[in-house]
Amino acid sequence: MIADGDRVAVGVSGGKDSLTLLCALAELSRYYPKKFTVTAVTLDMGFHADWSGVKRLCDELDVEYIVKQTQIKDVIFDIRRESNPCSLCAKMRRGSLNDAVKEAGCNRVALGHHMDDAIETFFLSLFYEGRLNCFSPVTYLSRSDLYQIRPMIYAEERLIRGAVKNNSLPVVSNPCPADGETKREDMKRLIKTLEGGMQKGLKTRLFTAIRQGLPDWKTGG
């Protein structure tokens, strides 16, 4: 995922996943044999979130911190008044983040997706699109000439929660009106219900199926 001389931008939303990834890559950069630098990039969606805790963390990690102001909240909720905002929001965030990463002079953008995210995405694609699909650990973005990487893809969400608690990371609460009321949350609840019943080890088996059955995972994107 990371080559010698890379400049890796971590997309930092302020949530538990991105903060854990930021700390992990910052620490890894100190001893990893392939030398690389880390920059933290945050998109301010327009909800007036407080990023001071993230800024202090970046100072402690000796990582450059960039906050890019956007009007994503205004466009989606005030102008378009989207009834199902998540899809458009994701597209706008990806585009804005990639632009900010390029402006920062980085060639790789690291996202905090983990094993549970991959399984939920697989279910979303199966149930709502009728196809077997999931994001890849490494993807080349030809339009932006960036590599998108997901270093925590093999980590379970429960381990990330533990890392946040043990290290007292400054998680920023999500002010989005749609938070907790998404199709992804529905998938999370469904998987939890299945795993908690007679299907112990279900997540491990599903992740193995994704890893072995989807071509992009074998080719690295």
Side-chain angles (χ1 to χ4, degrees):
M1 287 189 180
I2 298 176
D4 202 22
D6 276 345
R7 298 194 63 186
V8 181
V10 180
V12 178
S13 67
K16 67 182 189 322
D17 305 330
S18 61
L19 291 177
T20 301
L21 176 61
L22 172 63
C23 292
L25 287 182
E27 183 64 24
L28 182 66
S29 69
R30 305 184 201 286
Y31 63 84
Y32 193 59
K34 297 178 181 178
K35 301 301 179 183
F36 67 96
T37 61
V38 176
T39 299
V41 178
T42 291
L43 295 182
D44 190 303
M45 306 276 286
F47 290 110
H48 307 294
D50 180 6
W51 304 111
S52 58
V54 180
K55 177 63 169 65
R56 286 193 295 272
L57 175 64
C58 289
D59 289 343
E60 294 171 5
L61 297 172
D62 195 24
V63 167
E64 179 186 10
Y65 185 43
I66 298 171
V67 178
K68 180 177 181 178
Q69 302 296 324
T70 75
Q71 296 180 318
I72 295 176
K73 174 259 183 186
D74 294 339
V75 171
I76 292 178
F77 293 103
D78 300 335
I79 298 174
R80 295 177 60 101
R81 300 181 184 274
E82 292 282 331
S83 57
N84 296 298
C86 297
S87 178
L88 178 59
C89 180
K91 291 178 181 177
M92 294 183 69
R93 283 187 289 113
R94 281 195 298 268
S96 296
L97 178 60
N98 293 342
D99 288 345
V101 168
K102 292 292 288 186
E103 290 169 7
C106 298
N107 65 313
R108 293 184 186 256
V109 53
L111 304 179
H113 295 129
H114 45 68
M115 179 191 293
D116 294 66
D117 286 327
I119 296 169
E120 291 156 16
T121 299
F122 179 78
F123 268 44
L124 284 167
S125 178
L126 179 63
F127 291 162
Y128 292 100
E129 299 176 356
R131 64 191 183 117
L132 302 178
N133 186 54
C134 183
F135 51 69
S136 302
V138 180
T139 305
Y140 176 64
L141 308 175
S142 57
R143 290 184 180 181
S144 304
D145 190 28
L146 289 171
Y147 279 94
Q148 188 177 80
I149 62 175
R150 295 175 168 91
M152 297 199 303
I153 197 66
Y154 286 92
E156 292 187 54
E157 187 174 20
R158 63 181 180 82
L159 299 178
I160 294 170
R161 289 199 190 97
V164 169
K165 182 178 180 180
N166 293 338
N167 293 280
S168 302
L169 298 185
V171 174
V172 179
S173 61
N174 188 349
C176 177
D179 184 43
E181 300 299 328
T182 64
K183 290 183 175 64
R184 181 171 291 276
E185 287 298 323
D186 292 341
M187 294 301 103
K188 188 184 294 289
R189 286 189 284 267
L190 172 61
I191 295 166
K192 183 177 181 180
T193 299
L194 292 173
E195 177 119 76
M198 300 297 292
Q199 299 295 327
K200 295 295 183 182
L202 174 66
K203 285 198 297 186
T204 301
R205 294 193 296 274
L206 285 170
F207 188 68
T208 299
I210 293 170
R211 215 165 28 90
Q212 297 181 350
L214 297 182
D216 282 353
W217 280 65
K218 297 176 182 177
T219 62

